[in-house]
Amino acid sequence: MSNASCIEARPRWRRRAPGVLPVLGVVLVISAAGAMTLGRYPLSLRDLLAFFGARLHLVALAPERDDLLRNLILEIRAPRIIAAASIGAALSVAGAAFQSVFRNPLASPGLLGALGGSCFGAALALLLGLSWAAVQGLSFVGGLAAVALGVGVANAFGAASMITLVLGGMISGAFFTALLSALKYMADPYDQLPTIIYWLMGSLTGVSLSQALTAAPAMLAGIAALLALARPMDALAMGEDEARSLGVPVAWVRYGAIAAATFVTALAVSLAGMIGWIGLFAPHFARLVVGPRNAVLLPASALVGAIFLIGADCLARSLVKAEIPIGIVTELLGIPAFLLVLRRSRRSWT
């Protein structure tokens, strides 16, 4: 077979994968810039250039105009865009990692109970009337505790397998969901319960610039840890026996990926509440475009998830006068989007 025939016989995603990541990066930048202009007080590209030019002392702005742009850009919109990009990337990479480690196309960031634990921790803090920082802290701790419980259950009867890990995650998730229901039953129906329910629907309204700039590097560190495990996860996706024959420490890779994915998932949920479907839809879409190799799939999933959540946040704060919880928007958009890619994504798994 000639070289041309060999190239033609290669899957399409192998031929186009190297050029996809820069394109997605450009789309992400354009999406962020577009999101900066949208809102109750629309801005133009000229406004953005003038504001950042004033920061660099290239142009001069009237004090009133500068204060208005500073408030809109730095205090209101930039935190939401940074948080949306980092949360979308974190949940998407976590979903891709779980799908690879468990060899299950339906795996998502909540597979081992992290979402249930995070929701319980946040609801407990809200019920106790703690500060917003405490709500985020207990949500993060709850997510880690739920996964630790699920892994502990899986190892309670010998060495854990993929099936026992999934079962352990189901048990842990059900346990913390039951505890969450008990907290909602005990909450004041006129004050505390609406706050808990609103938090569970997901929102970026309460994210400040300092919180976004603190959480984003931590999420990037977790994503970097998963990228470092990309090649071992590729081997693990072929099966445990094949991975061991290649010298891959199966247990270390599996638990390392679970730990990093749980870390970024719990951090994302603690920052903005429940935001569903991104961790399931984005990896499937990215796999269709760049293929199953994790070294490319993970960053592609991160970029797709970031773009998707920035767009969802724009719709959440622009469709109607009262802001829609972003978790509702991601589910309404994610379900049909997932159905569109499901047929073709089945081929990529087979």
Side-chain angles (χ1 to χ4, degrees):
M1 184 180 295
S2 65
N3 290 338
S5 299
C6 290
I7 294 174
E8 185 65 28
R10 292 168 64 189
R12 291 182 179 179
W13 55 262
R14 283 193 179 179
R15 300 198 300 271
R16 66 190 178 205
V20 169
L21 294 182
V23 172
L24 289 175
V26 172
V27 174
L28 177 58
V29 173
I30 294 174
S31 301
M36 195 74 74
T37 66
L38 297 177
R40 296 286 177 268
Y41 191 98
L43 299 176
S44 65
L45 182 59
R46 179 178 297 178
D47 292 325
L48 296 180
L49 294 176
F51 175 76
F52 289 110
R55 304 281 76 74
L56 298 174
H57 304 288
L58 299 177
V59 297
L61 286 176
E64 297 81 3
R65 184 65 177 170
D66 188 73
D67 290 341
L68 175 63
L69 292 177
R70 180 193 300 273
N71 181 62
L72 287 172
I73 294 174
L74 295 184
E75 298 182 17
I76 297 177
R77 295 179 187 174
R80 299 183 69 120
I81 294 170
I82 296 171
S86 56
I87 291 171
L91 293 176
S92 300
V93 171
F98 276 129
Q99 290 171 12
S100 179
V101 168
F102 289 95
R103 288 182 289 163
N104 186 341
L106 297 180
S108 66
L111 181 67
L112 297 181
L115 299 183
S118 293
C119 291
F120 167 75
L124 178 61
L126 291 171
L127 186 66
L128 296 175
L130 302 180
S131 65
W132 182 244
V135 172
Q136 294 176 320
L138 280 180
S139 174
F140 178 70
V141 172
L144 298 182
V147 174
L149 175 62
V151 173
V153 170
N155 285 276
F157 305 100
S161 64
M162 286 190 295
I163 294 178
T164 56
L165 280 171
V166 173
L167 292 176
M170 292 176 60
I171 292 171
S172 176
F175 174 70
F176 279 97
T177 300
L179 292 180
L180 174 61
S181 298
L183 292 181
K184 289 194 285 187
Y185 177 77
M186 293 185 291
D188 183 345
Y190 299 103
D191 181 23
Q192 296 172 323
L193 185 58
T195 303
I196 292 173
I197 292 176
Y198 184 80
W199 188 91
L200 293 176
M201 291 189 289
S203 176
L204 296 173
T205 303
V207 179
S208 66
L209 184 60
S210 61
Q211 290 173 334
L213 293 178
T214 300
M219 292 185 199
L220 289 176
I223 293 173
L226 289 170
L227 284 172
L229 295 172
R231 293 188 65 183
M233 284 195 295
D234 286 337
L236 191 59
M238 296 187 296
E240 294 185 10
D241 294 336
E242 289 82 356
R244 289 192 181 95
S245 67
L246 294 174
V248 175
V250 171
W252 283 100
V253 172
R254 177 184 296 156
Y255 287 117
I258 288 174
T262 299
F263 173 77
V264 297
T265 298
L267 193 57
V269 176
S270 69
L271 194 62
M274 287 282 289
I275 299 177
W277 283 93
I278 295 181
L280 186 61
F281 157 72
H284 280 274
F285 182 86
R287 186 176 284 105
L288 285 177
V289 177
V290 301
R293 192 163 59 92
N294 281 301
V296 183
L297 173 62
L298 294 181
S301 297
L303 292 169
V304 170
I307 295 167
F308 182 82
L309 195 55
I310 288 175
D313 181 56
C314 290
L315 291 177
R317 57 189 172 92
S318 303
L319 283 178
V320 295
K321 292 183 178 180
E323 181 175 329
I324 303 172
I326 193 172
I328 296 176
V329 177
T330 58
E331 291 184 1
L332 291 176
L333 293 177
I335 293 172
F338 180 68
L339 291 175
L340 288 175
V341 303
L342 183 60
R343 181 181 181 87
R344 296 188 64 185
S345 64
R346 288 177 55 195
R347 301 174 187 173
S348 68
W349 279 97
T350 57

